[in-house]
Amino acid sequence: MQIMTLDGNWQYRRLGEGQWRQGLVPGTLLGDMLRGGEIEDPFYRDNEARVLPLFDHDYEYRRTFDWDGGLPDPAIKRVLRFEGLDTLAEVELNGQPLLSADNMFRTYEANVGERLVQGENELRIVFRSSSGYMRNRHAAYALFGIPMVVEGYTYLRKAHYMSGWDWGPKLPDCGIWRSVRLLSIAGARWADVLVRQRHEQGRVWLNIALRTDRADGGSDGYRAQVTVAGPKGERQVHAVNLAQAVSAEVELEIDAPQLWWPNGFGAQPLYMVEAALLDASGSTLDTRSLRIGLRELTVNTEPDAWGSAFAFKINGVEIFSMGADYIPEDNVLGRLSRERSERLIRDCVRANFNTIRVWGGGFYPDDYFYDLCDEYGLIVWQDFMFACGVYPLDDEAFIDNSVAELEDNVKRIRHHASIGLFCGNNEIEMFFEDGRIANTEANRRAYVSFFEERLPAMVRELAPDTFYWPGSPSSGGDFFESNGQNHGDGHYWDVWHGNQPFTDYRNTYFRYMSEFGFESLPDYRTTLSFTEPDDRNLFSYVMECHQKNPSGNQKILAYLAETFRYPKDLRSLGVVSQLMQAEAMRYGVEHWRRHRGRCMGALYWQLNDCWPTLSWSSIDYYGRWKALHYFARRFFAPVLLSACETETTASLHVVNERLEGLRGKVSWALKDLNGQVLKRGEASFESAPLSSLCVAQLDFTEQLANPDIRRRVYLEYALTSDGAPDSLGMAFFVPAKYLELKQAKIDAEVTEETDRFVVELSAPSLVRYVELSFSTLDGVFEDNYFDLPAGAKRRIGLAKSDLSRAVSLEEIRSELSVTSLADTY
């Protein structure tokens, strides 16, 4: 098969205008207008509002290409392939209609053998206004959808976040967002290659099901050659004659199989399966290459003492999922790249993630996203792209369009080692239960028919070894306790949306917490990027333009009042908001990990941003780690020592999320803020693999009877073991705002080693939340936003490879700022 790419330079204009402008494919209108200087940055100040009306118009794209492939040949099929048209597209070739598209997520093909001409050909695509279409459909018959967005978003198979969300702007873009290719298919090509695995007593067999698409109607002599290449280059080759058959199967046993494991449990060896389709002469007609990992991966939902389990089971081992919910990385799709996604995925692994959830209001990521998850060991919870609304499921055309979309994408990604489950939707079932969706018989029947009957049947056919879950949250479907704590997965928003204190997480016992979150401001330099000096007030017009959650800024201040002292300026407010966010997530995750077995997952909302904003993310739009991401590295550590404290007591718990047992010692000390020990102790422990163990119950009623004393003391605890890194922590008995912290001077010395810089820190009294930051540099420290005990020394590394540019020791010293909580007020 010969492939001509039609990516690269195109021209575009508003429909009906005279002047053509330069465009780029893959890309979108928004990126093209930015690149050409037609609009100002929509992320700056309130420019979003000025850009939005541009999408009420229709636009057209065109390009020419030369064709010298000869006259039409019935033995050769010419196909134009569009891998991503966003969204309402009318395609013409040489002035003749070719196809219409209405689904951003589908791949469209059209036979063009009779329409190509020798020499120059013109391809033209008209994009109709998505925002106009959605509003018109909504005006004709309103379907429920969340507020704050372009109305009618559920009518159109387009990434919903482009219509706005409670963390993203309204920028309903359009364009040719994925590649365009002209295929010349000589005789036949692969229609489908499905790889299945069978694991028995340490042995692994692959079953490769092959299906052809024949342009010649079924000539003799075709054969398939399947090659499996192992992680060390070892190869196995098997051949099968197809003759006139459309399909065939190859089964082979893998020699000395190496299993794929998620991050923290083992290595990620990958095998390449290559299926070559050959004609009678031995010429290769088509090749399909699929990189796989050998593993058994499913979800255990068996009944148990609390209800029913919900736990990923990999190679026979049930693991505690640790990670976050992923949204699209940008509203300007042309800015997406493998390098950018790799940085984000690598940052997940550095924070000890083993799972990532692709949320159902974005789009199905590019192939490289799943490649990266395979390589780095992240299990992917893959939502289908339905979220938070009622869809026209009484419309057969809409259903057929949606099913075609799902077939395209399930086939595209199902072979990846990282795919852990397919989930039907985000929060629709829950909206029936809480009353946001009208709980009518017609609505219920339509929902069940599509998400609980049609889609699972499709997954069983196309990806028979992949677990399907009807929605998130769900207890398994049929509107049974859709967000209950005893079955399935849960979304818990009483903290934040319900204004409950974040200590309330400790009152919940969800089987798998797939969504919970807390907002914060981004890095201060990110705030500077979208504001002018006069905008830098939390309640200014521009700051509220970048706060998409109604009352979000008020909630930040309300929670701040419960926890911290009022900060002195906007930068300090940003730091304190991030500390609140980090502490909230820590309270939840440590609690659920302490109850390992009953709870088997914690995915916080959300990992990343699609523009510079105030949001729930742990990494902001520019890739800067908030305090939460540093906290995640600690609370997702494979070996975790945590404290569950009250006003006068504390219990210490060791969680061992490893495949090996652990022996060690836990030491603790009740100290005043100057480091004076009031009471101390230690306990030896032995924990089983994949377990949680309470190692100490501490009662400080005598020492803390006077409430004034609680403002001047803290509990310090540490785990030491030959088999694991130390786990350190502190617990306090009053909110941080009541602690009688001194404005302690932090001594900081920076030295240089071959591949990193090292910051050595010490202070004469307790310092809460030491922050290491730069004025212009970006970098990721080994640790940050940590407590520094009186008299202790901490050495914090900074890899040179983690800096945004090469710098000298002198520049690091001049750039570095070392502050703490006491500097925020």
Side-chain angles (χ1 to χ4, degrees):
M1 181 166 56
Q2 296 180 341
I3 301 174
M4 174 190 290
T5 180
L6 297 178
D7 293 347
N9 291 325
W10 285 57
Q11 292 180 313
Y12 78 95
R13 66 183 179 183
R14 184 184 296 181
L15 195 64
E17 287 190 347
Q19 181 182 358
W20 289 93
R21 296 177 173 86
Q22 190 72 29
L24 192 63
V25 171
T28 64
L29 176 67
L30 187 58
D32 289 336
M33 289 192 296
L34 269 169
R35 194 179 305 108
E38 292 183 71
I39 59 171
E40 296 183 14
D41 181 0
F43 296 169
Y44 185 65
R45 303 193 78 227
D46 59 343
N47 285 346
E48 171 202 354
R50 281 178 280 279
V51 172
L52 177 60
L54 298 176
F55 299 112
D56 292 337
H57 301 280
D58 301 333
Y59 294 85
E60 60 181 321
Y61 278 74
R62 74 176 185 184
R63 72 157 290 165
T64 59
F65 62 94
D66 289 332
W67 173 251
D68 58 0
L71 297 174
D73 183 344
I76 300 179
K77 188 176 182 180
R78 316 288 186 188
V79 173
L80 266 175
R81 179 181 175 91
F82 302 88
E83 297 181 357
L85 296 173
D86 178 16
T87 292
L88 298 169
E90 300 162 6
V91 183
E92 295 179 357
L93 178 62
N94 296 324
Q96 299 180 34
L98 189 62
L99 64 84
S100 295
D102 59 356
N103 191 321
M104 177 182 178
F105 312 124
R106 287 181 60 182
T107 295
Y108 289 90
E109 291 189 348
N111 294 331
V112 295
E114 300 293 331
R115 301 188 184 188
L116 289 170
V117 299
Q118 291 291 313
E120 185 176 87
N121 291 257
E122 183 181 69
L123 187 58
R124 175 175 175 263
I125 305 176
V126 173
F127 289 97
R128 301 297 178 182
S129 168
S130 293
S131 54
Y133 175 88
M134 292 185 287
R135 285 195 296 265
N136 289 340
R137 291 294 304 270
H138 182 81
Y141 186 81
L143 294 176
F144 170 80
I146 65 166
M148 308 163 293
V149 303
V150 178
E151 294 177 325
Y153 67 89
T154 60
Y155 276 108
L156 192 58
R157 300 308 298 143
K158 176 180 177 64
H160 294 337
Y161 84 107
M162 292 180 169
S163 295
W165 218 259
D166 58 1
W167 37 260
K170 295 179 184 178
L171 295 169
D173 203 358
C174 66
I176 309 166
W177 73 292
R178 282 181 172 158
S179 290
V180 181
R181 295 183 172 96
L182 175 59
L183 313 180
S184 296
I185 305 162
R189 63 172 170 169
W190 290 125
D192 195 23
V193 177
L194 171 63
V195 180
R196 300 187 65 183
Q197 303 180 25
R198 177 162 55 90
H199 293 243
E200 293 180 8
Q201 298 180 339
R203 301 170 68 184
V204 179
W205 289 263
L206 298 184
N207 180 279
I208 299 114
L210 307 165
R211 186 162 56 86
T212 58
D213 172 20
R214 301 196 172 191
D216 57 13
S219 300
D220 290 330
Y222 290 130
R223 59 192 176 91
Q225 180 173 289
V226 176
T227 303
V228 179
K232 297 181 180 178
E234 65 276 21
R235 294 165 63 86
Q236 296 174 247
V237 181
H238 294 256
V240 59
N241 288 322
L242 294 169
Q244 291 189 342
V246 174
S247 61
E249 290 188 5
V250 173
E251 182 161 286
L252 57 92
E253 183 177 1
I254 298 296
D255 297 330
Q258 301 178 51
L259 297 186
W260 183 94
W261 291 91
N263 178 45
F265 295 94
Q268 293 80 43
L270 297 170
Y271 291 71
M272 183 64 75
V273 177
E274 181 181 274
L277 178 60
L278 312 176
D279 66 11
S281 69
S283 297
T284 300
L285 302 177
D286 193 11
T287 301
R288 184 76 61 87
S289 297
L290 303 173
R291 194 174 62 165
I292 67 169
L294 305 181
R295 88 290 186 270
E296 292 183 288
L297 178 54
T298 188
V299 177
N300 175 24
T301 57
E302 292 297 316
D304 62 14
W306 298 286
S308 58
F310 196 92
F312 279 112
K313 189 173 185 178
I314 174 80
N315 301 327
V317 177
E318 291 187 15
I319 68 167
F320 190 101
S321 287
M322 300 184 289
D325 301 303
Y326 167 88
I327 66 168
E329 295 172 45
D330 213 307
N331 275 88
V332 184
L333 298 187
R335 292 174 176 170
L336 302 178
S337 68
R338 190 186 199 280
E339 293 71 27
R340 183 171 173 182
S341 291
E342 182 166 20
R343 176 183 173 185
L344 186 64
I345 296 298
R346 187 171 61 244
D347 285 346
C348 291
V349 171
R350 294 173 72 175
N352 294 307
F353 286 28
N354 58 39
T355 307
I356 189 169
R357 173 178 170 236
V358 179
W359 170 73
F363 53 80
Y364 305 93
D366 284 279
D367 293 338
Y368 60 71
F369 173 87
Y370 302 99
D371 288 338
L372 290 167
C373 291
D374 294 343
E375 294 167 14
Y376 282 93
L378 292 183
I379 293 174
V380 176
W381 172 312
Q382 177 67 58
D383 280 2
F384 292 152
M385 295 299 122
F386 303 90
C388 302
V390 173
Y391 292 82
L393 297 178
D394 57 349
D395 182 344
E396 285 300 320
F398 180 90
I399 291 176
D400 291 345
N401 190 14
S402 299
V403 169
E405 157 203 325
L406 296 172
E407 289 178 351
D408 283 352
N409 286 284
V410 169
K411 286 181 179 180
R412 177 171 68 91
I413 68 177
R414 66 190 173 190
H415 66 279
H416 285 278
S418 54
I419 294 294
L421 66 78
F422 291 124
C423 177
N425 68 81
N426 174 76
E427 294 190 340
I428 300 176
E429 184 185 355
M430 182 185 81
F431 281 11
F432 278 92
E433 185 173 285
D434 67 19
R436 279 179 276 187
I437 292 177
N439 200 2
T440 66
E441 180 61 30
N443 280 346
R444 290 165 65 96
R445 182 60 208 150
Y447 177 90
V448 170
S449 176
F450 188 68
F451 291 109
E452 298 182 12
E453 295 172 1
R454 184 78 177 265
L455 296 194
M458 184 204 70
V459 171
R460 282 194 299 271
E461 177 186 352
L462 299 179
D465 302 317
T466 303
F467 183 86
Y468 176 81
W469 193 240
S472 181
S474 179
S475 291
D478 200 27
F479 306 100
F480 170 68
E481 297 183 8
S482 62
N483 198 21
Q485 297 194 31
N486 298 321
H487 310 271
D489 71 308
H491 293 189
Y492 187 71
W493 285 104
D494 283 2
V495 176
W496 187 259
H497 288 307
N499 299 312
Q500 293 298 312
F502 49 72
T503 52
D504 194 59
Y505 287 129
R506 292 180 176 176
N507 298 323
T508 67
Y509 298 89
F510 287 89
R511 307 313 304 270
Y512 189 109
M513 180 52 66
S514 56
E515 200 175 297
F516 65 108
F518 200 97
E519 270 202 333
S520 72
L521 277 72
D523 185 282
Y524 188 58
R525 289 167 298 169
T526 298
T527 299
L528 296 180
S529 76
F530 64 80
T531 58
E532 293 288 345
D534 288 346
D535 303 326
R536 292 165 195 159
N537 181 290
L538 187 64
F539 296 111
S540 74
Y541 176 69
V542 167
M543 288 294 289
E544 292 198 340
C545 284
H546 286 253
Q547 167 57 279
K548 297 300 184 179
N549 179 226
S551 303
N553 290 347
Q554 292 91 321
K555 288 182 186 291
I556 288 173
L557 289 188
Y559 277 106
L560 185 150
E562 294 177 0
T563 313
F564 292 103
R565 300 185 189 183
Y566 194 77
K568 63 187 180 184
D569 52 29
L570 186 63
R571 186 196 183 284
S572 299
L573 174 59
V575 172
V576 170
S577 74
Q578 289 188 27
L579 295 175
M580 286 193 300
Q581 177 192 40
E583 287 290 5
M585 298 299 93
R586 180 184 69 83
Y587 261 78
V589 172
E590 289 186 350
H591 165 71
W592 294 313
R593 289 193 67 185
R594 286 194 288 267
H595 291 274
R596 190 196 192 281
R598 187 172 184 178
C599 179
M600 289 299 288
L603 309 181
Y604 62 76
W605 184 270
Q606 63 203 66
L607 171 63
N608 59 303
D609 285 324
C610 62
W611 76 315
T613 186
L614 296 80
S615 81
W616 294 271
S617 70
S618 63
I619 298 177
D620 76 19
Y621 174 74
Y622 293 107
R624 293 166 177 147
W625 287 29
K626 297 183 182 179
L628 170 55
H629 212 73
Y630 285 103
F631 270 53
R633 177 186 271 180
R634 299 196 288 267
F635 60 59
F636 282 153
V639 174
L640 172 69
L641 175 63
S642 69
C644 183
E645 78 289 344
T646 69
E647 288 186 341
T648 59
T649 67
S651 56
L652 300 179
H653 302 253
V654 174
V655 181
N656 179 19
E657 196 61 29
R658 308 185 316 161
L659 299 178
E660 305 82 25
L662 182 70
R663 293 182 178 180
K665 180 177 69 175
V666 169
S667 57
W668 57 268
L670 185 68
K671 296 182 176 181
D672 68 19
L673 301 183
N674 293 316
Q676 184 69 35
V677 175
L678 307 179
K679 189 176 182 179
R680 71 188 330 151
E682 63 181 39
S684 297
F685 70 91
E686 182 173 351
S687 70
L690 308 168
S691 67
S692 176
L693 176 69
C694 180
V695 296
Q697 295 275 6
L698 309 177
D699 189 340
F700 301 120
T701 302
E702 180 181 345
Q703 290 81 12
L704 303 181
N706 184 345
D708 292 341
I709 298 296
R710 297 175 204 159
R711 300 199 299 271
R712 307 185 195 114
V713 300
Y714 64 97
L715 176 65
E716 182 179 318
Y717 47 87
L719 181 153
T720 55
S721 171
D722 292 337
D726 292 350
S727 180
L728 307 170
M730 293 183 186
F732 297 83
F733 302 95
V734 295
K737 64 181 180 179
Y738 294 147
L739 283 175
E740 297 180 359
L741 296 173
K742 298 179 180 178
Q743 192 77 32
K745 180 181 184 302
I746 305 172
D747 292 323
E749 181 180 350
V750 184
T751 57
E752 184 175 8
E753 298 178 358
T754 303
D755 58 353
R756 68 174 190 162
F757 298 98
V758 176
V759 184
E760 186 168 297
L761 303 159
S762 63
S765 61
L766 173 70
V767 179
R768 293 228 63 192
Y769 305 118
V770 175
E771 181 196 34
L772 305 176
S773 62
F774 293 121
S775 54
T776 63
L777 281 171
D778 280 309
V780 176
F781 293 90
E782 284 181 347
D783 200 4
N784 211 344
Y785 303 98
F786 52 84
D787 296 324
L788 184 62
K793 289 188 176 182
R794 286 288 309 272
R795 286 173 54 86
I796 307 298
L798 173 64
K800 293 179 180 178
S801 60
D802 283 330
L803 287 165
S804 53
R805 66 175 188 270
V807 294
S808 65
L809 176 61
E810 290 71 24
E811 189 172 0
I812 283 284
R813 287 171 172 167
S814 64
E815 279 262 346
L816 181 67
S817 176
V818 182
T819 56
S820 71
L821 178 63
D823 296 302
T824 65
Y825 51 79

